[in-house]
Amino acid sequence: MRSKIVLGLLVAIIAYACLAMAGGANVEAAGGSYLMARFWDNKNFSSLLWEHYYEYICPQQPGHIGNVNLAMAGVDNRFESANAYGYSGYCETTIMYKYANLSGTSYQCGGGGCSDLGVLNNDVTSYKLFR
């Protein structure tokens, strides 16, 4: 178990370093080995801002994973486009919310990505990915 945690952290650090060298120095990463979603600072997938990694392909039990308060990470109210990367048909959808703790106005985005978050542009404070 400990080696999986260390490996997950190492993968996140390497991914962050590669993106920083490629010009994405503002990218943050939630922990884990599998890339689950990306969120951009601008419309049309421009200026990568946040990546969500998870230690498994998707939760073992039906449910969701996500960030319930982006303000704590310093990236709330900045997303303008998003994409979820599902695996074998799971976790291909993300729902973004106006307020922390998955509340308020929401916007759903499927696996093809959303180049524009509509009413939630620059107004996302939490999100979830689900099966």
Side-chain angles (χ1 to χ4, degrees):
M1 179 67 156
R2 188 176 188 174
S3 62
K4 284 185 179 182
I5 292 170
V6 171
L7 180 60
L9 289 172
L10 181 60
V11 168
I13 290 168
I14 291 170
Y16 179 82
C18 290
L19 288 168
M21 287 187 287
N26 291 330
V27 174
E28 296 287 338
S33 300
Y34 294 94
L35 175 63
M36 302 304 296
R38 284 185 172 151
F39 300 89
W40 285 267
D41 202 13
N42 300 309
K43 294 177 185 175
N44 299 312
F45 313 107
S46 173
S47 297
L48 183 61
L49 183 67
W50 180 262
E51 291 185 315
H52 187 111
Y53 287 84
Y54 192 65
E55 60 185 283
Y56 302 106
I57 290 176
C58 200
Q60 301 301 313
Q61 300 296 318
H64 69 270
I65 57 175
N67 189 312
V68 296
N69 190 351
L70 290 165
M72 295 180 76
V75 292
D76 63 318
N77 302 322
R78 293 185 59 190
F79 300 162
E80 289 190 10
S81 51
N83 198 357
Y85 300 93
Y87 297 89
S88 302
Y90 295 106
C91 291
E92 292 180 342
T93 303
T94 182
I95 301 179
M96 290 146 285
Y97 296 87
K98 181 176 179 86
Y99 302 118
N101 301 313
L102 310 175
S103 63
T105 304
S106 65
Y107 189 86
Q108 183 169 325
C109 185
C114 295
S115 61
D116 184 338
L117 302 183
V119 298
L120 285 185
N121 275 336
N122 295 311
D123 211 10
V124 174
T125 303
S126 60
Y127 68 88
K128 70 179 177 180
L129 299 143
F130 64 95
R131 345 170 46 125

